[in-house]
Coordinates of all heavy atoms in Angstrom, one line a residue:
A470 N 10.8 -26.3 -119.9 CA 9.7 -26.4 -120.9 C 10.1 -26.0 -122.3 O 9.6 -26.7 -123.2 CB 8.6 -25.5 -120.3
S471 N 10.8 -24.9 -122.5 CA 11.1 -24.5 -123.7 C 11.9 -25.5 -124.7 O 11.8 -25.6 -125.9 CB 11.9 -23.1 -123.8 OG 13.1 -23.3 -123.1
V472 N 12.7 -26.2 -124.0 CA 13.5 -27.3 -124.6 C 12.8 -28.6 -124.8 O 12.9 -29.2 -125.9 CB 14.9 -27.5 -123.8 CG1 15.5 -28.7 -124.5 CG2 15.7 -26.2 -123.9
L473 N 11.9 -28.8 -123.9 CA 11.3 -30.1 -123.7 C 9.9 -30.2 -124.5 O 9.5 -31.3 -124.8 CB 10.9 -30.6 -122.3 CG 12.1 -30.7 -121.4 CD1 11.7 -31.0 -120.0 CD2 13.1 -31.9 -122.0
S474 N 9.3 -29.1 -124.8 CA 7.9 -29.0 -125.2 C 7.5 -29.8 -126.4 O 6.5 -30.4 -126.6 CB 7.4 -27.5 -125.4 OG 8.2 -26.9 -126.5
S475 N 8.6 -29.8 -127.4 CA 8.2 -30.5 -128.6 C 8.7 -32.0 -128.7 O 8.7 -32.6 -129.8 CB 8.8 -29.7 -129.8 OG 10.2 -29.6 -129.7
V476 N 9.2 -32.5 -127.6 CA 9.9 -33.8 -127.6 C 8.8 -34.8 -127.2 O 8.0 -34.6 -126.4 CB 11.0 -33.7 -126.4 CG1 11.6 -35.1 -126.4 CG2 12.0 -32.7 -126.7
Q477 N 9.0 -36.0 -127.9 CA 8.2 -37.2 -127.6 C 9.0 -38.1 -126.6 O 10.2 -38.5 -127.0 CB 7.8 -37.9 -128.9 CG 7.0 -37.2 -129.8 CD 5.5 -37.1 -129.3 OE1 5.0 -38.0 -128.6 NE2 4.9 -35.9 -129.6
A478 N 8.5 -38.3 -125.4 CA 9.1 -39.1 -124.4 C 8.2 -39.6 -123.4 O 7.0 -39.0 -123.2 CB 10.3 -38.4 -123.7
D479 N 8.5 -40.6 -122.7 CA 7.6 -41.1 -121.6 C 7.6 -40.3 -120.4 O 6.7 -40.2 -119.6 CB 8.0 -42.6 -121.4 CG 7.9 -43.6 -122.5 OD1 6.9 -43.4 -123.2 OD2 8.7 -44.4 -122.6
L480 N 8.8 -39.7 -120.3 CA 9.0 -38.9 -118.9 C 9.8 -37.6 -119.2 O 10.8 -37.7 -119.9 CB 9.7 -39.9 -118.0 CG 10.0 -39.2 -116.7 CD1 8.8 -38.9 -115.8 CD2 11.0 -40.1 -115.8
F481 N 9.4 -36.5 -118.7 CA 10.2 -35.3 -118.7 C 10.7 -35.1 -117.2 O 9.9 -35.4 -116.3 CB 9.3 -34.0 -119.0 CG 8.9 -33.9 -120.5 CD1 8.0 -33.0 -120.8 CD2 9.5 -34.7 -121.4 CE1 7.6 -32.7 -122.1 CE2 9.0 -34.5 -122.7 CZ 8.1 -33.6 -123.1
I482 N 12.0 -34.7 -117.1 CA 12.6 -34.4 -115.8 C 13.2 -33.0 -115.9 O 14.1 -32.8 -116.8 CB 13.7 -35.4 -115.5 CG1 13.0 -36.8 -115.4 CG2 14.3 -35.0 -114.1 CD1 14.1 -37.9 -115.2
T483 N 12.8 -32.1 -115.0 CA 13.4 -30.7 -115.1 C 13.2 -30.0 -113.6 O 12.5 -30.7 -112.8 CB 12.7 -29.9 -116.2 OG1 13.4 -28.6 -116.2 CG2 11.2 -29.7 -116.0
G484 N 13.6 -28.9 -113.6 CA 13.5 -28.2 -112.2 C 12.1 -27.7 -112.1 O 11.4 -27.9 -111.0
E485 N 11.6 -26.9 -113.1 CA 10.3 -26.3 -113.0 C 9.7 -26.2 -114.3 O 10.3 -26.0 -115.3 CB 10.4 -24.9 -112.3 CG 11.4 -24.0 -113.1 CD 11.5 -22.6 -112.4 OE1 10.5 -22.2 -111.7 OE2 12.5 -21.9 -112.6
M486 N 8.4 -26.2 -114.3 CA 7.4 -25.9 -115.6 C 6.2 -25.3 -115.0 O 5.8 -25.5 -113.8 CB 7.1 -27.2 -116.2 CG 8.2 -27.9 -116.9 SD 7.8 -29.6 -117.6 CE 6.5 -29.1 -118.8
S487 N 5.6 -24.3 -115.8 CA 4.4 -23.7 -115.4 C 3.3 -24.8 -115.4 O 3.3 -25.8 -116.0 CB 4.1 -22.7 -116.4 OG 3.6 -23.0 -117.5
H488 N 2.2 -24.3 -114.7 CA 1.0 -25.2 -114.6 C 0.5 -25.7 -116.0 O 0.2 -26.8 -116.2 CB -0.2 -24.4 -113.9 CG -1.5 -25.1 -113.8 ND1 -1.7 -26.2 -113.1 CD2 -2.6 -24.8 -114.6 CE1 -3.0 -26.4 -113.3 NE2 -3.6 -25.7 -114.2
H489 N 0.4 -24.7 -116.9 CA -0.1 -25.0 -118.2 C 0.9 -25.9 -119.1 O 0.5 -26.7 -119.9 CB -0.6 -23.7 -119.0 CG -1.6 -23.0 -118.3 ND1 -2.9 -23.5 -118.4 CD2 -1.7 -21.9 -117.6 CE1 -3.7 -22.7 -117.8 NE2 -3.0 -21.8 -117.2
E490 N 2.2 -25.8 -118.9 CA 3.1 -26.5 -119.6 C 3.1 -27.9 -119.1 O 3.2 -28.8 -119.9 CB 4.5 -25.9 -119.3 CG 4.8 -24.5 -120.1 CD 6.0 -23.9 -119.5 OE1 6.5 -24.1 -118.4 OE2 6.4 -22.9 -120.2
V491 N 2.8 -28.1 -117.8 CA 2.6 -29.5 -117.3 C 1.5 -30.1 -117.9 O 1.4 -31.3 -118.3 CB 2.6 -29.5 -115.7 CG1 2.2 -30.8 -115.2 CG2 3.9 -29.0 -115.1
L492 N 0.3 -29.3 -117.9 CA -1.0 -29.8 -118.5 C -0.7 -30.3 -120.0 O -1.3 -31.3 -120.4 CB -2.1 -28.8 -118.4 CG -2.6 -28.5 -117.1 CD1 -3.7 -27.5 -117.1 CD2 -3.2 -29.8 -116.3
D493 N 0.0 -29.5 -120.7 CA 0.3 -29.8 -122.2 C 0.9 -31.1 -122.2 O 0.7 -32.1 -123.1 CB 1.1 -28.8 -122.8 CG 0.3 -27.5 -123.0 OD1 -0.9 -27.6 -123.1 OD2 1.0 -26.4 -123.3
A494 N 2.0 -31.4 -121.3 CA 2.8 -32.6 -121.4 C 2.0 -33.8 -121.0 O 1.9 -34.8 -121.7 CB 4.0 -32.4 -120.5
V495 N 1.1 -33.6 -119.9 CA 0.4 -34.7 -119.5 C -0.7 -35.1 -120.5 O -1.0 -36.4 -120.7 CB -0.4 -34.2 -118.2 CG1 -1.6 -35.2 -117.8 CG2 0.5 -34.3 -117.0
A496 N -1.2 -34.1 -121.3 CA -2.2 -34.4 -122.2 C -1.7 -35.3 -123.3 O -2.4 -36.0 -124.0 CB -2.8 -33.1 -122.8
K497 N -0.3 -35.3 -123.5 CA 0.3 -36.0 -124.5 C 0.7 -37.4 -124.1 O 1.2 -38.2 -124.8 CB 1.6 -35.4 -125.2 CG 1.2 -34.0 -125.9 CD 2.5 -33.5 -126.5 CE 3.4 -33.0 -125.6 NZ 4.6 -32.3 -126.3
G498 N 0.3 -37.6 -122.8 CA 0.7 -39.0 -122.2 C 2.1 -39.0 -121.6 O 2.6 -40.0 -121.2
T499 N 2.8 -37.9 -121.4 CA 4.1 -37.8 -120.8 C 4.0 -37.4 -119.4 O 3.3 -36.4 -119.0 CB 4.8 -36.7 -121.6 OG1 5.1 -37.0 -123.0 CG2 6.3 -36.5 -120.9
S500 N 4.6 -38.2 -118.6 CA 4.7 -37.9 -117.1 C 5.8 -36.9 -116.9 O 6.8 -36.7 -117.7 CB 5.0 -39.1 -116.4 OG 3.8 -40.2 -116.5
V501 N 5.6 -36.1 -115.8 CA 6.6 -35.1 -115.5 C 7.2 -35.2 -114.0 O 6.3 -35.3 -113.1 CB 6.0 -33.6 -115.7 CG1 6.8 -32.5 -115.3 CG2 5.4 -33.5 -117.2
I502 N 8.4 -35.2 -113.9 CA 9.0 -35.0 -112.6 C 9.7 -33.6 -112.4 O 10.4 -33.3 -113.3 CB 10.0 -36.1 -112.3 CG1 9.4 -37.5 -112.2 CG2 10.8 -35.8 -111.1 CD1 10.5 -38.6 -112.1
L503 N 9.3 -32.9 -111.3 CA 9.9 -31.6 -111.1 C 10.6 -31.6 -109.7 O 10.0 -32.2 -108.8 CB 8.7 -30.4 -111.1 CG 7.9 -30.3 -112.3 CD1 6.9 -29.3 -112.0 CD2 8.8 -29.9 -113.5
S504 N 11.8 -31.1 -109.8 CA 12.6 -31.1 -108.5 C 12.7 -29.7 -107.8 O 13.3 -29.6 -106.7 CB 14.0 -31.6 -108.8 OG 14.7 -30.7 -109.7
D505 N 12.2 -28.7 -108.4 CA 12.4 -27.2 -108.2 C 13.8 -26.9 -108.8 O 14.7 -27.7 -109.0 CB 12.3 -26.8 -106.7 CG 11.0 -26.8 -106.2 OD1 10.1 -26.5 -106.9 OD2 10.7 -27.1 -104.9
H506 N 13.8 -25.8 -109.2 CA 14.9 -25.2 -110.3 C 16.2 -25.6 -109.9 O 16.9 -26.5 -110.6 CB 14.8 -23.7 -110.3 CG 15.6 -23.1 -111.5 ND1 15.0 -22.6 -112.7 CD2 17.0 -23.1 -111.7 CE1 15.9 -22.3 -113.5 NE2 17.1 -22.5 -112.9
S507 N 16.9 -25.1 -108.9 CA 18.2 -25.4 -108.6 C 18.6 -26.8 -108.1 O 19.7 -27.2 -108.2 CB 18.9 -24.3 -107.6 OG 18.3 -24.5 -106.3
N508 N 17.6 -27.4 -107.7 CA 17.8 -28.9 -107.2 C 18.2 -29.8 -108.5 O 18.7 -30.9 -108.2 CB 16.6 -29.4 -106.5 CG 16.3 -28.9 -105.2 OD1 17.3 -28.4 -104.5 ND2 15.2 -28.8 -104.7
S509 N 17.7 -29.3 -109.7 CA 18.1 -30.1 -110.8 C 19.5 -29.9 -111.3 O 20.0 -30.5 -112.3 CB 17.0 -29.9 -112.0 OG 17.3 -28.5 -112.4
E510 N 20.2 -28.9 -110.7 CA 21.6 -28.5 -111.1 C 22.6 -28.7 -110.1 O 23.8 -29.0 -110.4 CB 21.5 -27.0 -111.4 CG 20.5 -26.6 -112.4 CD 19.9 -25.3 -112.3 OE1 20.1 -24.5 -111.2 OE2 19.5 -24.6 -113.3
R511 N 22.2 -28.5 -108.9 CA 23.3 -28.4 -107.8 C 24.2 -29.6 -107.6 O 25.3 -29.4 -107.3 CB 22.5 -28.1 -106.4 CG 23.4 -27.9 -105.3 CD 22.7 -27.3 -104.1 NE 22.1 -25.9 -104.2 CZ 21.0 -25.7 -104.6 NH1 20.1 -26.6 -104.7 NH2 20.7 -24.4 -104.8
G512 N 23.6 -30.8 -107.9 CA 24.4 -32.0 -107.7 C 25.7 -32.1 -108.5 O 26.7 -32.8 -108.2

């Protein structure tokens, strides 16, 4: 979230974001995909 929060994009992909961070992204029209933290790295 700290890296993505100010970015304009159609979609965010990360491991985890807090409830309110997701709400902020959604309000801007950005969809969010969360995989859980280490699942975004392990591959």
Side-chain angles (χ1 to χ4, degrees):
S471 61
V472 174
L473 300 175
S474 60
S475 62
V476 179
Q477 294 290 328
D479 299 319
L480 177 66
F481 286 170
I482 300 173
T483 187
E485 60 179 333
M486 293 171 65
S487 74
H488 173 74
H489 295 286
E490 290 163 345
V491 172
L492 289 178
D493 287 341
V495 166
K497 295 187 294 185
T499 300
S500 298
V501 178
I502 289 177
L503 302 179
S504 65
D505 285 333
H506 190 110
S507 67
N508 289 331
S509 66
E510 306 156 337
R511 185 169 288 101

